[in-house]
Amino acid sequence: MTIVIDCNIFVMCLTSNSPFHIIYKSLVNGKFQLAVTGDILLEYEEIVQRKYSTTTAKAFITLLSELPNIHYIYPHYQWQLIQTDPDDNKYCDLRLQVGLIILLQKTGILRY
């Protein structure tokens, strides 16, 4: 199964005392495939750095670059479907590009 994970989910699941840490552990253990773009990786790095530290952000991005279940996608079109929070369009565009079924966001799991 390939999924897209919103940045806020990663922020919540990085610490081992979080109830969402299972998402991080499942990713590291190869339980699912993660689709990302360059823009999404930059957002992951920026937000993790802001919430934790530069060291944590670099370690996280390095880990993502080394995991075999990370798929780097280069979207060919920007749909601009989300008007209320345009920054979330990158997640929607990626989902459409790869035909994903699940998108994890802070507001919940969206199934298509």
Side-chain angles (χ1 to χ4, degrees):
M1 166 177 38
T2 301
I3 66 173
V4 172
I5 299 179
D6 183 89
C7 187
N8 292 312
I9 296 293
F10 271 128
V11 167
M12 293 188 303
C13 74
L14 287 180
T15 61
S16 59
N17 61 349
S18 167
F20 302 103
H21 190 64
I22 188 72
I23 297 168
Y24 175 79
K25 287 173 58 174
S26 295
L27 173 65
V28 171
N29 291 323
K31 302 288 186 188
F32 60 86
Q33 308 294 307
L34 176 68
V36 296
T37 65
D39 286 344
I40 289 173
L41 286 176
L42 287 173
E43 183 175 3
Y44 287 171
E45 183 175 23
E46 175 189 342
I47 302 302
V48 171
Q49 181 177 346
R50 189 180 319 148
K51 297 286 184 177
Y52 295 99
S53 69
T54 301
T55 303
T56 301
K58 288 181 189 271
F60 179 61
I61 296 302
T62 299
L63 172 68
L64 292 181
S65 71
E66 295 174 353
L67 289 174
N69 53 326
I70 306 298
H71 299 281
Y72 298 91
I73 308 297
Y74 304 94
H76 301 292
Y77 190 77
Q78 295 180 339
W79 293 93
Q80 302 298 318
L81 297 175
I82 302 173
Q83 303 298 317
T84 56
D85 188 358
D87 200 39
D88 281 345
N89 277 308
K90 63 180 145 283
Y91 297 99
C92 183
D93 293 343
L94 177 57
R95 191 208 70 78
L96 291 169
Q97 174 84 21
V98 297
L100 296 174
I101 297 172
I102 296 175
L103 169 64
L104 292 179
Q105 291 185 309
K106 192 173 183 179
T107 55
I109 298 174
L110 304 178
R111 297 180 188 273
Y112 298 93

